[in-house]
Amino acid sequence: MKLVSQPLSKENFAPFGEVIEASEHANNQMNSGTFARFDNLATVTNAPNGANATISMVRSQDPASLPYEFNLIEKHPLCSQAFIPLNDTVFYVVVGPRGDAIEAADLQAFVTNGRQGISYFPGTWHMPLIALAGGQEFLVIDQANLPGNLVELTLSQSLTLNA
Amino acid sequence: MKLVSQPLSKENFAPFGEVIEASEHANNQMNSGTFARFDNLATVTNAPNGANATISMVRSQDPASLPYEFNLIEKHPLCSQAFIPLNDTVFYVVVGPRGDAIEAADLQAFVTNGRQGISYFPGTWHMPLIALAGGQEFLVIDQANLPGNLVELTLSQSLTLNA
């Protein structure tokens, strides 16, 4: 099954999570107006047990290429998970609605504009992050090591992500 | 009083917070080894009431220049606060030990290498963020709007931050 991506926006990503990008107009100021603040772009949802989220970095070392075929998706039921590129980096996001069951036909693909980051809501099904070049760095905010926070699912049908 | 900065490292910043940067060797892998993961660089410490942290962005619009004179410092007693540059950006960090009282002589200055971000521990006294050029963007992870989470102090003696 083929997946064609659409440009990512706050609106079309709203069922799945939050888009982390500066909008045209700041919604706050900081430090006597020396900084425009784009406040509260995403919430770091914590696990019910009150564990703290952590800030990590990842760096691509074995890049993928398009078209990209995959059948494994995952979700993190207990916490949000954010990926923000540390330099201008276009990346693809494939997501499906929260819930126990999901099929290939339920998934949608988005492509970022190079400046955008994303935060998945807890439970949003998603394709594991891929990079299209080596050395791409992302900041990650999640609770990766929390027991029970990774659910993987092999789809009955493979998906092919296109540019 | 003059403040001369030293290069920031995990070691010299340890009393004040955490340095967010990829080290020489990854301490984890992600997604079948397609990404090196530099895991748990900083902890997002939540307020005792369990409020969630948020992810925001700031963009400099009225840059400062060195030498920079200031006498206002602040702390966030309830949560950690992280600043990570979204592109290579050198910035200055002035901090003092946690505690109720602090004087100008207690403060230390650090300068980042352009790739480093930082996370202040709850309660670490710090100079409000300054930028040395306009349009510099930082990701911020904090609980900015939490009541009681901003304490400001005017030092009896001004400090001058030098390059």
Side-chain angles (χ1 to χ4, degrees):
Chain A
M1 180 178 282
K2 272 193 172 182
L3 262 177
V4 177
S5 60
Q6 55 181 311
L8 179 74
S9 72
K10 285 180 196 290
E11 292 71 27
N12 61 23
F13 199 62
F16 311 110
E18 294 164 294
V19 175
I20 299 164
E21 68 177 324
S23 49
E24 199 177 340
H25 300 289
N27 60 7
N28 208 340
Q29 301 285 313
M30 189 179 82
N31 298 353
S32 308
T34 54
F35 286 86
R37 185 160 170 133
F38 305 88
D39 214 11
N40 199 1
L41 301 174
T43 297
V44 182
T45 306
N46 291 292
N49 63 0
N52 286 318
T54 59
I55 302 173
S56 302
M57 280 178 57
V58 296
R59 182 190 297 147
S60 60
Q61 54 188 7
D62 183 12
S65 57
L66 300 184
Y68 174 73
E69 190 178 334
F70 68 100
N71 62 6
L72 179 77
I73 60 171
E74 66 181 34
K75 66 177 178 180
H76 308 293
L78 302 179
C79 76
S80 58
Q81 183 182 46
F83 292 98
I84 302 106
L86 285 175
N87 286 290
D88 285 12
T89 302
V90 169
F91 66 105
Y92 288 81
V93 180
V94 178
V95 285
R98 289 166 278 181
D100 288 341
I102 186 145
E103 296 183 10
D106 299 326
L107 296 176
Q108 289 183 53
F110 300 97
V111 59
T112 68
N113 65 10
R115 307 279 302 156
Q116 296 164 317
I118 56 100
S119 180
Y120 299 118
F121 290 137
T124 289
W125 288 105
H126 57 274
M127 173 184 74
L129 184 69
I130 61 169
L132 300 179
Q136 291 182 341
E137 293 183 340
F138 293 81
L139 202 71
V140 187
I141 301 150
D142 68 359
Q143 298 179 296
N145 302 317
L146 204 64
N149 198 26
L150 173 61
V151 178
E152 293 181 318
L153 176 74
T154 302
L155 298 164
S156 56
Q157 190 177 10
S158 280
L159 285 157
T160 304
L161 175 65
N162 293 272
Chain B
M1 182 178 282
K2 272 193 173 185
L3 261 177
V4 177
S5 59
Q6 55 181 310
L8 179 73
S9 72
K10 286 181 196 290
E11 291 70 27
N12 61 23
F13 198 61
F16 310 109
E18 295 165 295
V19 176
I20 299 165
E21 68 176 326
S23 49
E24 199 177 340
H25 300 290
N27 60 6
N28 208 340
Q29 302 283 313
M30 190 180 82
N31 298 353
S32 308
T34 54
F35 286 86
R37 186 162 170 130
F38 305 88
D39 214 10
N40 199 3
L41 300 174
T43 296
V44 182
T45 306
N46 291 291
N49 63 0
N52 287 317
T54 59
I55 302 172
S56 302
M57 280 176 58
V58 296
R59 182 191 296 146
S60 60
Q61 54 188 8
D62 184 12
S65 57
L66 300 185
Y68 175 73
E69 189 178 336
F70 69 99
N71 62 7
L72 179 76
I73 59 170
E74 66 181 35
K75 66 177 179 179
H76 309 292
L78 302 178
C79 74
S80 58
Q81 184 182 45
F83 292 98
I84 303 107
L86 286 174
N87 286 289
D88 285 12
T89 302
V90 168
F91 66 104
Y92 289 80
V93 180
V94 178
V95 286
R98 290 166 277 182
D100 288 339
I102 185 146
E103 296 183 11
D106 300 326
L107 295 176
Q108 290 183 53
F110 300 98
V111 59
T112 68
N113 64 11
R115 309 279 301 155
Q116 295 165 319
I118 56 99
S119 179
Y120 299 118
F121 290 137
T124 289
W125 287 105
H126 57 274
M127 175 185 72
L129 184 69
I130 60 169
L132 299 179
Q136 291 183 341
E137 293 183 338
F138 294 80
L139 202 70
V140 187
I141 300 149
D142 68 359
Q143 297 180 298
N145 302 316
L146 203 65
N149 199 26
L150 173 62
V151 178
E152 292 180 319
L153 177 73
T154 301
L155 298 164
S156 57
Q157 189 176 13
S158 280
L159 284 157
T160 302
L161 176 65
N162 292 271

